[in-house]
Amino acid sequence: MPSQPYYVLQHHDIILDNQNKQYHLKIRDLPEDQKPREKLLKYGLGVLSVSELLAIILNTGTKKEGVLEMSERVIKNYGEGSIMSQKDPSVLSKDLGIPIGKSMQIVACAELGRRFFQKNNSSLPSIRTAREVYDYVKDMHNLTKEHLRGIYLNTHYKIIHDE
């Protein structure tokens, strides 16, 4: 006859046998719907906090600190805007007390964002006058029916959407 278990864990309870030791929650300890990657896949980017997005980029924590704790501490201590403007991984590593590899991941991700933004921003045409609008919509001159076209500009007169 198979032996029956003495107890069953429910609700992903954590049982600590030594109350004096501090235990850091790890990603694997979280329920499936609270893990950053699984949340991203199931619910999309809009549901994730900045620290959860950073945790996905950092991938793993250290022996002293889990990845979620690390990402929350990094955002809290450095700030969302400041961390993305830092270009030197050694300064970031020293300021935050994180491994150099982690700081290189953050700096590289921020640089990718800057390059993509600059590339997309510089290729957008600029419209300031009625003549420039006329030249921009020349493709509509030979249409046989009336059409409505929306051209949306940012504060620098660059086209951000055309419908």
Side-chain angles (χ1 to χ4, degrees), residues 13-66:
D13 293 335
I14 298 173
I15 298 174
L16 300 176
D17 59 350
N18 185 355
Q19 296 298 332
N20 298 331
K21 242 183 180 177
Q22 188 176 10
Y23 183 77
H24 298 286
L25 274 178
K26 297 184 180 357
I27 295 282
R28 67 175 176 251
D29 298 328
L30 296 174
E32 288 297 315
D33 62 340
Q34 290 183 6
K35 295 178 181 179
R37 288 181 184 171
E38 284 73 6
K39 280 173 73 172
L40 174 63
L41 287 173
K42 190 171 184 180
Y43 304 113
L45 286 170
V47 192
L48 296 172
S49 67
V50 174
S51 61
E52 288 173 323
L53 290 169
L54 184 58
I56 291 172
I57 292 167
L58 295 176
N59 196 28
T60 60
T62 61
K63 289 181 181 181
K64 296 178 184 177
E65 185 173 44

Side-chain angles (χ1 to χ4, degrees), residues 38-96:
E38 284 73 6
K39 280 173 73 172
L40 174 63
L41 287 173
K42 190 171 184 180
Y43 304 113
L45 286 170
V47 192
L48 296 172
S49 67
V50 174
S51 61
E52 288 173 323
L53 290 169
L54 184 58
I56 291 172
I57 292 167
L58 295 176
N59 196 28
T60 60
T62 61
K63 289 181 181 181
K64 296 178 184 177
E65 185 173 44
V67 69
L68 286 173
E69 292 171 320
M70 180 187 296
S71 62
E72 287 172 8
R73 181 179 59 82
V74 164
I75 295 297
K76 181 182 171 192
N77 291 351
Y78 222 84
E80 290 178 23
S82 299
I83 196 165
M84 291 301 147
S85 63
Q86 181 57 256
K87 294 182 179 184
D88 187 358
S90 57
V91 170
L92 195 61
S93 176
K94 182 182 169 196
D95 287 350
L96 295 172

